[in-house]
Structures are given as C-alpha cells and as structure tokens.
Amino acid sequence: NTRGIDFENYRFEGEKTKSETEAKTPVVAKDTTIKGKNKPFKFPIQKNYSTAFYTDYVVTQFDNSTFSNNYQVFSNSGTPIYLNPGFNFVSKVAISDLFEDMRIVGAFRFNPSLDNEFMLSWEQRRKRVDHQLVLDRQTFANADVVNAQGQIYNAKINTHTARYTVKYPFSPVSSLRFSLLYRNDRKVALTLGDITLAKKNTFTNMAGGRVEYVSDNTRKVMLNILNGFRAKVWTEYWMQADNGFGTLFTSGFDLRHYQRVHRQITWCNRFAGGNSLGSTRLLFYMGGVDNWVNPSFNNNVNIVKPEQYGFQTLATNLRGFTQNIRNGNNFMLYNSELRIPVVRYFVDYPLRSDFLNNLQVVGFTDVGMAWYGANPLSGENTQNVKGFIQNDPQRPSGGSGIIITVIDNKNPLIGGMGFGFRSRVLGYFMRLDFGWGIDNWEVQKKVVGLSFTTDF
C-alpha cells in the first residue's frame, strides 16, 4: 500500500537523516589556493560544445559509372561514337557532423586507359532549405576533335564543372531544386606528329541554370524491389561565352511506378523522354543498358544534321540493341519489368547466402524512339543515308573516285523483349539481360548485356 508515503522526503529503515549525518561529521576548511602560490582556485570557463565530423561511409570498389552525369562533347568527326567510362577503380569518402546537417564527400576514379575523374561535394542541410556545391573534373585521354577548319585530330578532353544547388522541400517526399551551372572544356591535342605538335589548347566556357521537380514516395521492400511512385521533371539552359555564341536548351522527364503484385513480386513501369534545342544541341543515343560492361556501339546509323549538335548522351534502357540504334535531339522511352525474387518469395526468413537472398528473375519489354526535328515520320528520320567512297582503279592517284550512297528504310519506333537475372555477388549488384530487339517489325539476334546497377 503506497498511501500516505511522501515520495519527496522519505528514508529507508535504519538510514540516518541528513541532520544526524552533519552533526557527527566535523567541518574541515578546504584549501582553495594552488600549492606554492597564494592564488584562489578558479573553475574553467564554460564553453559551447563544437560538433566534430565523423566518417559517414568509405567506399573502395570497382565500377563502370561516373560521379556526375556530364554531357559529353560531340566531336562531329563523321563517325558517331560514345566514350563509355570503362571499368574503374573508385574510392569515395564521406564525413558528416553529429546531426548530419553538413556533409562533405570526396571521390576519385581512374582506369587503365587513363580516363579519370575527381569530385568534391559540400552539403548544408541545417534548415529547411538545403544547399549543395559540387566540383568535378573529368578526363577522356583519347577523343576525336574537329577544329574550326574541319580538321580531325586526337585530343585529351578535360571537363571541369561546378554546380550550386538549392533544394526547397514541399513535403517529405517532394522538392523543387534550382541549380547554377558552370562548365569548362579544355582540349589538348595529342602530339602524334608535326601537325598536332603546333596545335594550341582550346577552351570552351559555358554557364547555365537548371530547374527540377522531384517526388519520391517509394518504400523499399528489399534490394531492387520498391513499392510506390517517383518522378523527376527538369529543364536546363546553357549559354556559351567564347569561341562564338552558342546556346543549349534541354528538358526531360522520368516517371516510375512500382506496383506490388503479390508479396515481393513487383510490376515496374518507367516512362521517360527528353528534347534539346539551340545552336549546340544535345544528341541522344538510344539503345543498350545503363552501366553496360563492354558495351557495343552501332556506327552504321547516320546522324541527321550533325553540325547542330554540341554535346551527346545516352538514352537507355532499350535492351536487345546496341548503343545508337536510333539517335536525335528528341527521344521517348517506355520500360516495363516484372521482378520476381524467386527465393525470398517462398522463404520467409533471410538466408545466409547474399546471392540467394537477392536472386531475382525478370521479364521485360522496352519500346522507344529517337528522332530529329518535330516530325518523327519525316524522310530524314525514316531513311538511313550512308555515303561511301570507292576508289576507281582506272583513275590516276589522287582521283576523287566513286561516291556510293546507300539508303535504308527505318522505322523510328523500335522495341525489345526478353528476360534477365539479378543478384548481388561479392557486394556488387549485377544484372544479366538476354534481349531480342524488334526493328522494322523483324526480330533481331539476341543481345546479352551485363551491367552493374539497380532498378532500370
């Protein structure tokens, strides 16, 4: 029974009260002076606690992706080509303060071809509006470059970018982002002979801005299995300040929905598109998969009006084809996948094997098209025109020879279908896809794609 007990003033049975203890304890004067000196002892001054940084994560691995998705410089050398990053050694370190209000990330990557990249990021997330500054330097050691006189030579391209982003959240799942952009491209001619030895370095400086709306209410069920909806809509404007006035206006969208079918089985759909305008447009190469190991590029598909492009990028995924099965300043793409985690669907508890826990069987269908101009069914987009020069043995040396023009009909709309496997091996999430492309309503040969990335 606890009635009648004073919880503020009580003692155990046999315990002495405070007055009884003080009466039996003699009072001794304390020495408040420092030994050897007649100075009183002073307590140290109280100071505010300064939060220190701690290691957030450290990553050291092999990868085949880049830190920042910078647009590549379009060479216009006559033969289209895309410089894939290859297999890299990647090291990344991130540090954060106690409340994760500030984060600093440093990273670098390099590969045997001497293509490398360095990145430094600073984030301030103390209040509602987040701030981020990203500095990036990317190098391609061997690229084809065309100068103002139309001469083609090999060069090393160094791309330096700076991006300052302000993020304003509307809710925990949606935000609006504003970015100020700066880019510097330096082209250094490789000294392979007397002609390139005298060439000076060329520089291109561009400044721009970006506006993005991002929404993501997905919930992670397991690795590469999500439920919910996410979307991203953006637009960019770039202006060139030197080597002639040039502009680039590009915009795009990426919508993804993950529908639960039964337990962990998920039906995933993605609808994406983009376009570019201006005097230095962005060229989209369609085909292949993201982070493709040992990718293949199709050099036989021509580019309509290549003089209008200044940059290039990939429009993926479209499995069953190599890169550049279609190209243009516009693209639209639809991907659909049914992801089935075959082991975890039948076993309710996690296994010791990381490979079996994340093993997934996927069936997919991809449909997309890329085109130039406003009409995808125009003659420029439905005909693939290639020119060849055949030397005439009857002509003396130096003759122009015979010019042969080959015109192939093509349908801007293409598709792919197939199946694949997903799992994590030695800490790397791998995707193996077997795809059959459909071009001009004909099923093409099988294309196998191995990639290192999650989702689509």
Side-chain angles (χ1 to χ4, degrees):
N1 186 8
T2 58
R3 293 182 180 180
I5 298 178
D6 185 4
F7 289 95
E8 300 294 334
N9 184 18
Y10 71 95
R11 63 188 178 90
F12 294 101
E13 184 178 356
E15 183 181 7
K16 297 180 180 180
T17 62
K18 182 178 180 181
S19 59
E20 294 175 347
T21 304
E22 292 177 351
K24 295 183 179 181
T25 304
V27 178
V28 180
K30 296 182 179 180
D31 185 9
T32 58
T33 61
I34 301 176
K35 188 175 182 180
K37 297 183 180 179
N38 296 325
K39 294 183 179 180
F41 176 78
K42 295 182 179 180
F43 288 96
I45 301 175
Q46 294 183 357
K47 297 181 180 180
N48 294 330
Y49 174 74
S50 299
T51 56
F53 285 87
Y54 67 94
T55 302
D56 196 357
Y57 61 85
V58 177
V59 176
T60 301
Q61 64 182 18
F62 291 99
D63 201 352
N64 64 334
S65 62
T66 59
F67 300 134
S68 59
N69 296 323
N70 295 327
Y71 303 138
Q72 285 189 16
V73 177
F74 178 68
S75 63
N76 191 18
S77 59
T79 301
I81 190 65
Y82 185 81
L83 302 176
N84 292 279
F87 215 54
N88 311 294
F89 173 78
V90 176
S91 181
K92 183 183 294 185
V93 178
I95 58 176
S96 301
D97 65 343
L98 181 62
F99 297 103
E100 297 186 353
D101 292 334
M102 186 180 298
R103 175 180 294 176
I104 300 175
V105 180
F108 70 88
R109 68 171 181 88
F110 63 88
N111 58 29
S113 64
L114 301 182
D115 294 343
N116 55 63
E117 185 178 5
F118 301 89
M119 186 270 292
L120 179 63
S121 171
W122 169 84
E123 287 185 81
Q124 177 66 269
R125 304 180 292 184
R126 181 173 301 173
K127 299 181 180 180
R128 179 170 185 174
V129 179
D130 299 339
H131 302 265
Q132 183 181 21
L133 177 63
V134 179
L135 304 177
D136 184 85
R137 182 183 188 272
Q138 187 174 355
T139 300
F140 287 101
N142 191 355
D144 292 333
V145 174
V146 180
N147 58 12
Q149 291 74 30
Q151 299 175 335
I152 302 175
Y153 61 94
N154 293 333
K156 180 176 69 174
I157 300 179
N158 295 324
T159 300
H160 307 84
T161 58
R163 173 172 57 88
Y164 176 72
T165 304
V166 177
K167 305 176 185 178
Y168 182 83
F170 298 107
S171 67
V173 298
S174 63
S175 64
L176 190 63
R177 307 178 184 185
F178 304 91
S179 301
L180 296 178
L181 310 170
Y182 170 75
R183 174 177 180 139
N184 170 267
D185 292 305
R186 182 180 67 175
K187 303 173 184 177
V188 182
L190 301 180
T191 55
L192 303 177
D194 296 337
I195 298 178
T196 57
L197 184 62
K199 289 185 178 296
K200 297 182 179 180
N201 299 342
T202 60
F203 300 87
T204 303
N205 294 281
M206 300 187 70
R210 177 191 299 163
V211 180
E212 303 172 85
Y213 174 77
V214 179
S215 178
D216 188 353
N217 65 355
T218 57
R219 181 178 61 88
K220 184 178 179 180
V221 178
M222 57 180 293
L223 183 61
N224 201 47
I225 299 293
L226 304 172
N227 291 157
F229 176 78
R230 58 172 52 168
K232 181 178 180 180
V233 182
W234 73 92
T235 182
E236 290 183 24
Y237 178 78
W238 289 87
M239 182 175 60
Q240 183 176 331
D242 51 4
N243 296 330
F245 181 77
T247 59
L248 168 61
F249 177 80
T250 179
S251 58
F253 64 91
D254 193 330
L255 312 177
R256 306 184 184 190
H257 183 256
Y258 308 89
Q259 179 62 47
R260 177 178 176 268
V261 177
H262 186 259
R263 297 184 63 180
Q264 297 95 337
I265 300 178
T266 308
W267 183 28
C268 310
N269 294 274
R270 172 177 177 258
F271 183 48
N275 74 319
S276 65
L277 300 172
S279 58
T280 56
R281 298 183 180 185
L282 177 63
L283 177 63
F284 297 100
Y285 292 123
M286 177 169 286
V289 296
D290 288 329
N291 297 349
W292 193 356
V293 178
N294 193 22
S296 300
F297 193 90
N298 191 342
N299 302 109
N300 297 321
V301 179
N302 70 304
I303 299 175
V304 180
K305 298 183 180 180
E307 66 278 0
Q308 296 190 6
Y309 296 106
F311 302 94
Q312 61 185 17
T313 188
L314 294 176
T316 52
N317 297 322
L318 212 156
R319 288 153 287 194
F321 294 101
T322 59
Q323 296 173 352
N324 191 36
I325 189 63
R326 295 290 186 271
N327 60 63
N329 68 313
N330 307 281
F331 86 94
M332 294 186 70
L333 190 61
Y334 172 72
N335 306 115
S336 182
E337 289 185 358
L338 183 64
R339 301 174 184 173
I340 307 174
V342 290
V343 177
R344 291 300 303 274
Y345 180 77
F346 296 101
V347 180
D348 292 333
Y349 56 89
L351 303 176
R352 291 187 177 182
S353 174
D354 193 32
F355 176 82
L356 296 178
N357 276 327
N358 298 286
L359 180 61
Q360 303 169 16
V361 176
V362 175
F364 61 82
T365 299
D366 302 330
V367 179
M369 61 179 179
W371 71 96
Y372 170 81
N375 184 11
L377 299 179
S378 63
E380 295 174 323
N381 293 301
T382 57
Q383 293 181 349
N384 182 50
V385 181
K386 295 288 293 184
F388 303 91
I389 298 178
Q390 179 68 37
N391 295 327
D392 189 355
Q394 303 298 328
R395 292 176 176 267
S397 60
S400 58
I402 302 174
I403 299 177
I404 302 175
T405 302
V406 179
I407 301 177
D408 296 326
N409 294 325
K410 63 179 181 179
N411 191 334
L413 183 65
I414 55 177
M417 59 182 180
F419 65 93
F421 301 94
R422 312 278 189 269
S423 189
R424 186 162 56 187
V425 180
L426 300 177
Y428 296 90
F429 190 81
M430 298 184 180
R431 308 189 312 179
L432 180 63
D433 293 316
F434 300 87
W436 288 263
I438 302 176
D439 189 2
N440 289 327
W441 311 110
E442 295 182 0
V443 179
Q444 309 298 308
K445 293 182 179 180
K446 177 183 62 178
V447 175
V448 180
L450 176 65
S451 57
F452 292 86
T453 185
T454 57
D455 209 3
F456 289 96

